[in-house]
Amino acid sequence: IGLAVEQKNLLQLEKDIIGVALEGTTEPDTLTRFLHAAATTRLALNVKRLQLHTNQKTREIRYQIILQLLLVEKKADQ
């Protein structure tokens, strides 16, 4: 989708839930496309936290997103 990610980290939110923290600077259209893709993907990503700061001069958005994912243990017969 073209979302520029300057920093990413894995987080253990709960026993079977992990999070991915993403930070960067992007254009509003790119962030909107990313959020739409995250909301409609078959992976069931949940936005746990979204923090935005806008730069009025450049019209860029500085973002911080934490996506929540459920860990599913796959059994040998599946």
Side-chain angles (χ1 to χ4, degrees):
I1 293 177
L3 184 69
V5 177
E6 297 166 10
Q7 197 171 48
K8 62 183 172 184
N9 295 303
L10 284 177
L11 310 168
Q12 185 76 41
L13 301 175
E14 294 178 29
K15 182 180 179 275
D16 292 333
I17 299 176
I18 62 168
V20 179
L22 306 173
E23 292 184 37
T25 303
T26 191
E27 300 290 324
D29 291 346
T30 304
L31 183 60
T32 301
R33 282 193 307 272
F34 174 81
L35 292 172
H36 180 266
T40 58
T41 185
R42 292 172 43 182
L43 297 175
L45 301 174
N46 291 325
V47 176
K48 179 83 171 164
R49 184 171 123 193
L50 174 61
Q51 199 170 26
L52 304 174
H53 300 283
T54 59
N55 184 327
Q56 295 292 332
K57 292 180 183 177
T58 64
R59 297 186 183 257
E60 288 184 322
I61 295 175
R62 178 92 186 139
Y63 69 87
Q64 185 178 57
I65 301 172
I66 297 178
L67 298 172
Q68 179 178 309
L69 303 95
L70 178 63
L71 292 176
V72 179
E73 202 172 302
K74 187 174 180 179
K75 296 183 180 179
D77 61 343
Q78 294 179 337

